[in-house]
């Protein structure tokens, strides 16, 4: 019962943060954006800190984090013409990355395995939870639409999709999600102009290594 109360309290704190208002000039002038942004970051960090204590239950926060991610990458919130300045956009982007990475970690906690290295490294197939399946579709939509998904946020989403793929296993992922996921990643890479410079891929070894890192989103997914 105590665990449920703690999770409910964390979820409510996440939902009480009014992300949709962050793009307004008034929100920045009265300090509301800066206060709520710092508050959200502290909440997300605390979730990471609780994973060893509430590891078997924290994945229940995933739906709230999916919803939060959707709000953070909303085109209206990040519209360059809507009064959102550079610092605000950068802060929102940073929070989106932390939110997605937190989601990726929590998708793995109900497997009871250690979480080390990259967020997808400890994922194992065959999770009994339906959360990876429920998370994959909105993540693909966020990546594949004209939302404000820059390179950093997009790469975090790709990592999250890799977690979902590992959790669901090849037998379930390939027939139902693979084609849509790969197309979403390709669409995102084209929008942010990753890997489209053919000339740069025909240079020396150092440049080739740089191009390989640029294509890590799609290459990471294909390797998974």
């Amino acid at each position: 019962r105590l665990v449920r109360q703690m999770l409910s309290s964390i979820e409510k704190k996440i939902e009480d943060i009014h992300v949709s208002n962050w793009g307004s000039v008034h929100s920045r002038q009265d300090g509301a954006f800066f206060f709520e942004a710092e508050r959200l970051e502290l909440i997300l960090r605390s979730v990471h800190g609780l994973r060893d204590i509430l590891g078997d239950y924290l994945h229940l926060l995933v739906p709230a984090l999916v919803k939060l991610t959707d709000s953070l990458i909303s085109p209206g919130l990040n519209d360059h013409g809507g009064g959102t300045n550079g610092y605000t956009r950068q802060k929102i982007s940073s929070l989106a990355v932390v939110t997605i990475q937190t989601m990726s970690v929590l998708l793995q906690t109900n497997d009871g395995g250690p979480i080390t290295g990259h967020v997808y490294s400890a994922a194992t197939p065959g999770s009994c939870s339906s959360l990876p399946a429920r998370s994959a579709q909105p993540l693909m939509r966020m990546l594949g639409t004209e939302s404000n998904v820059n390179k950093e946020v997009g790469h975090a989403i790709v990592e999250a999709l890799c977690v979902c793929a590992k959790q669901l296993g090849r037998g379930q992922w390939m027939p139902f999600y693979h084609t849509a996921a790969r197309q979403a990643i390709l669409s995102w890479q084209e929008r942010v102009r990753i890997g489209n410079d053919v000339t740069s891929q025909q240079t020396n070894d150092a440049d080739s290594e740089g191009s390989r890192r640029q294509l890590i989103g799609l290459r990471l997914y294909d390797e998974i």
Side-chain angles (χ1 to χ4, degrees):
R1 182 177 179 180
L2 179 60
V3 170
R4 291 179 182 177
Q5 290 176 344
M6 291 179 65
L7 292 176
S8 178
S9 175
I10 295 172
E11 185 175 10
K12 187 176 187 305
K13 288 177 181 178
I14 293 174
E15 292 176 346
D16 284 346
I17 295 176
H18 305 293
V19 175
S20 60
N21 296 331
W22 285 1
S24 69
V25 174
H26 177 70
S27 175
R28 295 197 307 278
Q29 288 177 341
D30 67 8
F33 162 72
F34 304 101
F35 174 77
E36 290 202 329
E38 292 302 320
R39 183 184 175 198
L40 175 58
E41 188 167 7
L42 286 173
I43 292 171
L44 294 172
R45 300 297 181 191
S46 70
V47 170
H48 277 264
L50 288 170
R51 68 187 187 190
D52 291 333
I53 302 172
L54 303 176
D56 291 338
Y57 303 94
L58 279 175
H59 62 278
L60 298 175
L61 293 173
V62 168
L65 295 178
V66 172
K67 183 178 179 181
L68 175 61
T69 302
D70 206 1
S71 298
L72 287 170
I73 66 172
S74 167
L77 180 63
N78 295 277
D79 184 6
H80 289 246
T84 308
N85 62 29
Y87 173 80
T88 303
R89 288 193 298 272
Q90 183 180 10
K91 186 63 176 180
I92 292 173
S93 177
S94 175
L95 285 170
V97 170
V98 175
T99 301
I100 298 163
Q101 290 175 340
T102 302
M103 182 197 318
S104 295
V105 169
L106 300 192
L107 282 168
Q108 303 170 71
T109 55
N110 62 331
D111 280 338
I115 300 172
T116 57
H118 285 294
V119 292
Y120 54 83
S121 62
T124 55
S127 170
C128 61
S129 173
S130 64
L131 287 173
R134 291 167 55 191
S135 303
Q137 291 182 340
L139 287 171
M140 286 186 283
R141 173 180 54 77
M142 294 177 206
L143 195 63
T145 59
E146 298 295 330
S147 57
N148 185 55
V149 178
N150 58 27
K151 293 180 182 179
E152 292 75 19
V153 175
H155 184 66
I157 293 179
V158 173
E159 287 188 332
L161 285 173
C162 290
V163 170
C164 293
K166 281 263 192 172
Q167 294 284 64
L168 290 173
R170 182 180 181 87
Q172 189 172 350
W173 181 265
M174 293 301 290
F176 298 109
Y177 302 97
H178 170 67
T179 301
R182 202 171 190 283
Q183 183 56 48
I185 296 170
L186 283 171
S187 175
W188 161 67
Q189 292 196 167
E190 288 176 0
R191 289 204 312 278
V192 297
R193 301 182 184 278
I194 295 179
N196 290 334
D197 187 350
V198 177
T199 302
S200 67
Q201 297 181 37
Q202 298 174 343
T203 55
N204 58 34
D205 292 341
D207 289 337
S208 296
E209 177 63 18
S211 297
R212 189 188 68 79
R213 286 196 299 270
Q214 278 191 321
L215 286 169
I216 193 169
L218 186 60
R219 290 187 177 180
L220 169 63
Y221 175 77
D222 286 343
E223 288 177 3
I224 293 296

